[in-house]
Amino acid sequence: MSGNPEKCEEEDGEMPVYHEKQRLELCAVHALNNVLQRQLFSQEAADEICKRLAPDSRWNPHRSVLGTGNYDVNVIMTALQSLDFATVWWDKRRSLEELVLCNIHGFIVNIPSRISMGLLSLPIQRRHWIAIRKINGLYYNLDSKLKAPAVIGDDTDVRLFLQNRISQGLCEVLLVVQKDIEVSGTWLNCDR
């Protein structure tokens, strides 16, 4: 199993929140499983996707040469496509008010992250994938580096959270939507 999944029961007894914690460089796998709210992908499955994406490559460009993960966006997109989901790369120049949140399954966000070795934080940054998903009426930050899922709040709060990340720079936002939603474009409110 990838990571150490934890289900955090909400106080009112509603659906528990699935949350995998960081292991190796498997944040892309954890983000996939966290946004889907169950373990559907593993390191082995991600490695297999990498092989299909670059079957004749001596060094696979979609993962770490060390075999510890560090998967790129192509692996995430291919994994989601296998489940009839699509990813939409958010144009950060647009207003987040244009999003039709009820038609978006969740978000996978790529952010800068400091490298640490135990208690020592190095002055080097790498890329890190996190998931955001609405569960039981609230959005959660399901970052695998967190000890537990962090409540973001309602629709307004998730837009503020995403805008804050975007304004910090070096952030990419992927919308995770059902394939038919992507095709129809109903994740976007064009009237705004």
Side-chain angles (χ1 to χ4, degrees), residues 118-165:
L119 298 175
L120 178 64
S121 182
L122 302 175
I124 303 168
Q125 289 192 343
R126 305 253 337 241
R127 307 300 299 168
H128 179 63
W129 296 106
I130 67 170
I132 298 167
R133 170 87 188 267
K134 189 174 193 176
I135 304 162
N136 302 324
L138 292 173
Y139 284 94
Y140 286 85
N141 177 352
L142 301 167
D143 183 346
S144 58
K145 288 187 175 183
L146 296 175
K147 290 183 181 189
V151 174
I152 294 171
D154 63 12
D155 291 0
T156 300
D157 296 323
V158 79
R159 283 186 172 98
L160 288 170
F161 178 89
L162 291 170
Q163 188 56 54
N164 183 26
R165 291 291 185 169

Side-chain angles (χ1 to χ4, degrees), residues 4-75:
N4 299 316
E6 180 176 297
K7 293 193 176 205
C8 303
E9 191 73 33
E10 288 198 355
E11 289 180 24
D12 57 8
E14 292 182 330
M15 183 177 102
V17 178
Y18 181 86
H19 179 242
E20 286 185 4
K21 293 181 185 164
Q22 186 71 23
R23 187 173 70 83
L24 300 174
E25 293 180 292
L26 299 177
C27 58
V29 172
H30 302 314
L32 283 164
N33 291 334
N34 287 341
V35 82
L36 297 167
Q37 283 297 282
R38 61 185 179 277
Q39 186 196 4
L40 293 173
F41 294 99
S42 63
Q43 181 176 7
E44 294 76 19
D47 285 340
E48 187 57 38
I49 291 170
C50 289
K51 289 176 191 170
R52 284 186 308 202
L53 290 171
D56 300 323
S57 290
R58 181 176 176 157
W59 302 104
N60 196 296
H62 303 289
R63 67 175 177 208
S64 166
V65 295
L66 301 175
T68 55
N70 197 24
Y71 302 104
D72 72 9
V73 69
N74 298 293
V75 175

Side-chain angles (χ1 to χ4, degrees), residues 80-93:
L80 289 167
Q81 287 170 355
S82 75
L83 298 173
D84 209 30
F85 282 98
T87 52
V88 177
W89 211 296
W90 178 246
D91 180 350
K92 297 179 285 190
R93 297 169 297 181

